[in-house]
Amino acid sequence: MLLAVPRGHRLDGRESVTIPEIAHEPFVTTRHGHWQRALLDRLFAAEGLTPLLSCEGDEPGATQDMISAGLGIGLIPAMSREAGTDAHVSVARVRVAAPDCQRQLTLVWRRDRYLSEAAVTFREFTTTKPLTTHRLTPLHRVHDTRPSP
């Protein structure tokens, strides 16, 4: 997991931050019941803090768009660097120096149940690709290379 901040934000360019360093920043996050919110609340509670929320929503994918619009900062999956809307170029990403700042994805299936061809293909793809390599490579800053209007 990474902390996304709008370009030009005081944390833009930082390698990492701690939870106390961002305790007074407004956060864009999801409502209770979503993993992003549970992670944010857990990270702050571990420090005896409560996050300051500027915006809550029901669509986790919209978080990066709201951050790029300057509504606050927020937690996003590291793998979102490689996918998404144009918002991925208008936010900077910073590592959060907290041992629990991660999420684990798990794929399960029943061996005694039918799997469609698409499900089998998906299972093969996800179990044969090194999906965690994004955590092993250094964080690269993404710069917008589009020509200016």
Side-chain angles (χ1 to χ4, degrees):
M1 295 300 302
L2 299 171
L3 180 71
V5 301
R7 291 280 178 201
H9 186 275
R10 70 178 183 86
L11 299 173
D12 185 357
R14 289 277 302 269
E15 179 66 28
S16 67
V17 296
T18 64
I19 297 299
E21 287 179 295
I22 57 176
H24 299 292
E25 292 284 337
F27 270 82
V28 173
T29 190
T30 52
R31 296 183 197 278
H32 287 285
H34 292 274
W35 67 265
Q36 282 174 304
R37 179 60 178 274
L39 176 60
L40 180 66
D41 289 343
R42 186 173 70 239
L43 291 171
F44 272 71
E47 297 287 340
L49 300 168
T50 302
L52 172 65
L53 305 180
S54 65
C55 186
E56 289 179 291
D58 289 322
E59 181 55 48
T63 299
Q64 197 163 229
D65 293 324
M66 291 186 280
I67 294 166
S68 71
L71 297 176
I73 65 175
L75 298 173
I76 59 169
M79 62 180 32
S80 72
R81 295 185 288 195
E82 298 150 10
T85 65
D86 286 340
H88 75 281
V89 297
S90 58
V91 298
R93 291 152 189 87
V94 182
R95 294 187 193 280
V96 178
D100 198 26
C101 191
Q102 60 184 350
R103 79 173 174 162
Q104 183 174 356
L105 302 176
T106 305
L107 176 66
V108 295
W109 64 92
R110 292 189 55 159
R111 291 185 177 160
D112 63 339
R113 297 294 172 116
Y114 168 78
L115 287 179
S116 69
E117 185 177 337
V120 170
T121 301
F122 178 72
R123 179 183 67 190
E124 289 173 3
F125 173 78
T126 57
T127 59
T128 60
K129 302 290 182 191
L131 296 177
T132 59
T133 58
H134 67 277
R135 292 189 301 173
L136 304 177
T137 58
L139 178 63
H140 293 95
R141 293 176 56 101
V142 178
H143 295 284
D144 191 350
T145 57
R146 295 175 291 183
S148 297

